[in-house]
Amino acid sequence: MARKSLGLRQARRETLVGRHADRRAELKGVVAHPDTDPQARADAVRQLARLPRDSSSVRLRSRDQIDGRPRGVLTRFGLSRVRFRALALSGELPGVRKASR
């Protein structure tokens, strides 16, 4: 089970990503466009650098929805491999069963 502070940090990052997503996408578009003036591109890079680091979606981590485990998370279910196996074997995941049976 992950520490609560790590889950709270992740939640804070998610809100920052949502808050700054439009502005970040706009600035990245200016930087990536081939016809952008070099001065405008440099300004866009500076403005991107001024945004909070945690507002970048790359800094998000996929975590188990139940206990917050950061590794081995199956995206389709939002559960870690450990939790997924336990729930599947106990029959709590509808439509999921062992392949070897």
Side-chain angles (χ1 to χ4, degrees):
M1 181 141 178
R3 296 188 327 247
K4 269 199 169 173
S5 62
L6 297 178
L8 295 175
R9 186 185 307 165
Q10 176 74 5
R12 182 177 49 94
R13 283 182 179 152
E14 288 172 358
T15 59
L16 276 174
V17 167
R19 188 181 317 155
H20 295 286
D22 296 334
R23 180 69 177 147
R24 188 171 277 280
E26 176 186 326
L27 291 171
K28 282 184 168 254
V30 170
V31 171
H33 198 277
D35 296 334
T36 304
D37 179 53
Q39 183 63 35
R41 180 175 283 123
D43 288 341
V45 168
R46 269 189 235 106
Q47 289 176 11
L48 259 175
R50 266 190 245 133
L51 290 175
R53 276 190 183 178
D54 283 343
S55 68
S56 175
S57 62
V58 174
R59 293 176 70 95
L60 292 177
R61 175 95 188 197
S62 58
R63 290 186 170 273
D64 187 318
Q65 292 178 355
I66 297 175
D67 64 1
R69 187 177 201 279
R71 295 177 183 242
V73 177
L74 303 172
T75 307
R76 185 172 180 181
F77 297 95
L79 301 171
S80 68
R81 60 182 176 78
V82 178
R83 178 75 49 162
F84 174 80
R85 186 166 193 269
L87 292 176
L89 288 176
S90 65
E92 295 181 35
L93 293 177
V96 176
R97 62 190 180 118
K98 286 187 70 173
S100 60
R101 284 197 175 176

